[in-house]
Amino acid sequence: MNNNNKPIAMFDSGVGGLSVLEAVTQLLPNEKFIYLADQSHVPYGSRDLSEIQKFSKEISKFFIERGAKLIVVACNTASAAALEVLRMEFSNISFVGMEPAVKPAAEKTETGVVGVLATRATFQGELYTSVVERFVKDVKIIQDPCIGLVQQIEAGNFEGEETEEILKNALLPMLEENIDTIVLGCTHFPFVFPAIEKIVGPHVRLINPAPAIAKQVHRLLEKENKLANSEKQGKVEYLTTGNLIHFKSILGKLGMDGSVERIDWGKELSLV
Ligand code: DGL
């Protein structure tokens, strides 16, 4: 196969990275994609960073064997835990990772108070600490891990009582502190955008980093001379390590399509 027409590979613990895939496919409609949802291990956010590193390394190895030309770590938690290690271990392929969009939020806030929603593991990672240290001056940051929200989104509950309860617990104290900007620091969270807006109202700015990530993918492929040179609409091949029927139903709910396959974690954590 012509090297330019090899796939861009993306992974997340589950359906969250689909928010990034959506932005990248919109910007690069002729590219082919492999998307892997590691749903047998979701949520990543409550796991040890070392465990998330193991999953991320194995998934990257699997993508490279499948001929990927670029890997997008479409998960803030896996980026926090493993991006640096992946870049060192697999130096022949480029990685694009996520980092909470604290920088644009700190630049845009007028009240000087910003809310960040991300998983516990993301907040624990050095990446988050370094972003805050580098870009936040004279801005108050209020963090919340939204415990249980990833599981609700995985279950397809983008709205409803339980989802709203988790969001209210996170957002009402932030509103009391006069936030005007919220960073969506987990790729699952753009799917509850309307539920968040219902609580905070239309005047609080929500920052979803997915469009910026899509531009970054474009820039990198252009620089490496690897942009697809086919005129055909690209396809997405979806893989899940979890329940195939459930994954298909979420894809349907999001209006996304493509072939879906199940893969298993074999012995000693290898993908088969
Ligand atoms: N979508 C993920 C993130 O961006 C992971 C959520 C999880 O599995 O806890 O952080």
Side-chain angles (χ1 to χ4, degrees):
M1 189 197 304
N2 173 335
N3 278 346
N4 289 58
N5 295 328
K6 287 184 168 177
I8 298 171
M10 302 177 81
F11 76 95
D12 177 50
S13 60
V15 298
L18 296 173
S19 65
V20 183
L21 178 69
E22 206 173 22
V24 184
T25 50
Q26 261 172 30
L27 189 67
L28 299 168
N30 301 330
E31 296 290 340
K32 279 196 200 117
F33 294 87
I34 310 176
Y35 180 90
L36 189 147
D38 188 14
Q39 291 178 301
S40 66
H41 293 136
V42 70
Y44 276 5
S46 49
R47 293 177 185 271
D48 283 345
L49 297 183
S50 61
E51 196 182 14
I52 305 166
Q53 268 179 21
K54 272 193 213 148
F55 301 150
S56 304
K57 276 196 215 170
E58 192 53 41
I59 293 170
S60 301
K61 199 168 123 229
F62 172 83
F63 281 156
I64 291 165
E65 281 163 10
R66 287 228 173 172
K69 64 178 177 184
L70 174 79
I71 298 177
V72 182
V73 183
C75 172
N76 288 78
T77 307
S79 299
L83 193 56
E84 214 175 307
V85 175
L86 294 176
R87 286 187 171 135
M88 278 191 304
E89 180 134 350
F90 305 103
S91 52
N92 291 338
I93 187 161
S94 293
F95 286 86
V96 172
M98 314 290 302
E99 69 177 31
V102 170
K103 184 179 181 234
E107 285 165 1
K108 289 193 170 105
T109 176
E110 279 155 32
T111 60
V113 193
V114 166
V116 182
L117 308 180
T119 66
R120 191 179 58 85
T122 296
F123 287 131
Q124 278 172 353
E126 280 169 29
L127 188 64
Y128 179 70
T129 316
S130 97
V131 169
V132 172
E133 272 172 13
R134 275 182 292 146
F135 303 118
V136 179
K137 311 264 180 287
D138 304 322
V139 168
K140 182 170 176 186
I141 301 279
I142 310 175
Q143 297 166 196
D144 196 287
C146 297
I147 304 288
L149 186 57
V150 167
Q151 290 91 322
Q152 290 299 328
I153 295 169
E154 283 293 315
N157 301 331
F158 301 161
E159 52 194 1
E161 222 173 286
E162 283 169 79
T163 298
E164 281 177 25
E165 203 49 41
I166 298 169
L167 285 169
K168 274 188 190 152
N169 284 336
L171 299 170
L172 295 180
M174 292 184 179
L175 286 175
E176 273 173 32
E177 298 276 340
N178 205 19
I179 50 153
D180 65 352
T181 308
I182 296 176
V183 175
L184 303 177
C186 168
T187 55
H188 279 75
F189 298 169
F191 294 128
V192 290
F193 204 103
I196 295 177
E197 214 169 41
K198 200 166 144 193
I199 299 166
V200 300
H203 303 299
V204 173
R205 183 186 295 114
L206 304 184
I207 302 190
N208 171 13
I213 296 297
K215 283 189 196 146
Q216 167 82 359
V217 169
H218 182 235
R219 266 197 302 272
L220 202 62
L221 289 178
E222 197 166 46
K223 185 171 143 221
E224 294 184 351
N225 216 355
K226 286 185 183 162
L227 280 167
N229 47 23
S230 148
E231 297 289 302
K232 277 201 304 213
Q233 169 89 20
K235 283 199 182 111
V236 186
E237 186 190 338
Y238 296 97
L239 302 168
T240 177
T241 61
N243 184 302
L244 191 63
I245 295 171
H246 181 67
F247 185 70
K248 280 186 183 166
S249 80
I250 303 276
L251 279 181
K253 204 168 170 163
L254 296 172
M256 299 174 94
D257 62 11
S259 72
V260 190
E261 243 182 88
R262 204 190 111 80
I263 50 161
D264 273 318
W265 285 100
K267 275 197 211 106
E268 288 162 19
L269 219 63
S270 59
L271 281 167
V272 289

